[in-house]
Amino acid sequence: MEKLARKRVQALTPYQSARRIGGSGDVWLNANESPFDNEYKLDCSRLNRYGECQPQELINAYADYSNVQPEQVLTTRGADEGIELLIRAFCEPGEEAILYCPPTYGMYEISAETIGVRQKQVPLTQDWQLDLDAIEDNLNQVKLVFVCNPNNPTGNLIRKEDIVALLEMTKDRAIVVVDEAYIDFCLEMSSADLIEQYPNLAILRTMSKAFALAGLRCGFVLADENIINVLLKVIAPYPVPLPVSDIAIAALSESGLAKMQSQVLELNANRAYLKAGLDLMSGLTVFDGWGNFLLVQFPDGDELFKATWDAGMILRNSPLENGVRISIGSRDECEKVLGFIRNYYS
Ligand code: PMP
């Protein structure tokens, strides 16, 4: 039966998600998940009925949180579904292309490949910013330009003036998709305020990170109403399970937001703690990170990754040579990892 699959799919290597790679142990710092396991009450009373395609209460709550209009919000099954919907809706398979800037999140490439859409890569500059000239030279046939901000796995922010320059450059030609999966850790750096001005901007958001709801599978696209209406044509009829919208609405309530914000403060403090501890060691480089993870370049990244793995501390190796990405966990988890790395190099 495998031979019946589309050729492209036969050749495809699926995304090596942290969960697929596996591992065993009690310190899980490989998937940029939150260490906080918050409690929610479930209402199972109307599950015989389909939910709304776009639950209005959820849309309104997220619009409030992100300071945009409800018409500028689409809810999806995680930001990953947002990536796929944008490619399916805007790129003609076999003809048109997406553009992205490695090193960055792997799903732009994989979603495009699955759908049969070409991919153009314009690497980030040495300081991991957009190479605007090279992007401009490569815009032919490109419908979507993906910019991950803060970028995964490097953790840095993309300069806002460069995002604006890219929006100007692509006006009437292509949509700039700013993936803000980690923006809640530095919300003031969001590009959401540009939506009013730029009809070619789409922003991806998720509840998987700062909201500590990776298992919920709830994300959002923020964009001009015209983009949202196109996406509504291709989204599944009932994409949002009722319990998902109930829990997401609770997480976006006043008390839910207060909890998220205090957890963000704690994780940002843990990130500073881990960075300060690693910075004291010689021979490694810790890059400034704005999300709930840090990218570290070790003298022997693969060896270090294996050693932590064997010790039951699961980190993520990165495409950067000798790079290891460490998610920010609880203070206890950060202490354990820091202690292990200190011993490893002493
Ligand atoms: N974008 C980036 C940059 C991510 O790191 C991730 C999750 N690893 C996603 C999107 C997908 O998030 P979600 O869980 O909402 O599908």
Side-chain angles (χ1 to χ4, degrees), residues 5 14 16 22 26 88 103 105 111 114 126 131 150 193 207 249 330 332 338 340 342:
Q16 294 301 299
D26 54 7
R88 269 186 24 227
Y105 184 48
S111 284
T114 311
Q126 261 192 335
D131 188 341
D193 59 314
M207 302 200 82
I249 289 165
S330 64
D332 184 50
L338 188 57
F340 183 91
R342 231 183 239 131

Side-chain angles (χ1 to χ4, degrees), residues 54 58-60 62-64 66 68-75 219-225 228 232:
Q54 291 289 295
L58 174 58
I59 295 294
N60 292 345
Y62 202 81
D64 273 354
S66 46
V68 299
Q69 300 304 313
E71 299 72 36
Q72 297 170 328
V73 181
L74 180 87
T75 181
F220 300 89
V221 181
L222 312 179
D224 184 89
E225 195 177 350
I228 301 295
L232 280 169

Side-chain angles (χ1 to χ4, degrees), residues 15 22 30 32 39 67 73 84 86 94 101 128 132 139 195 218-219 226 230 247 263 285 291 293 346:
Y15 181 64
N30 60 343
N32 296 345
E39 267 188 42
N67 273 320
V73 181
E84 201 193 287
L86 282 158
C101 306
W128 290 329
L132 288 169
L139 275 184
I195 288 176
C218 185
N226 289 316
V230 172
I247 290 173
Q263 293 177 350
T285 309
F293 59 92
S346 64

Side-chain angles (χ1 to χ4, degrees), residues 78-80 105 148 152 179 181-182 206 208-209 217:
D80 279 340
Y105 184 48
C148 191
N152 177 8
D179 183 343
Y182 300 96
T206 181
S208 298
K209 310 297 176 184
R217 311 306 302 128

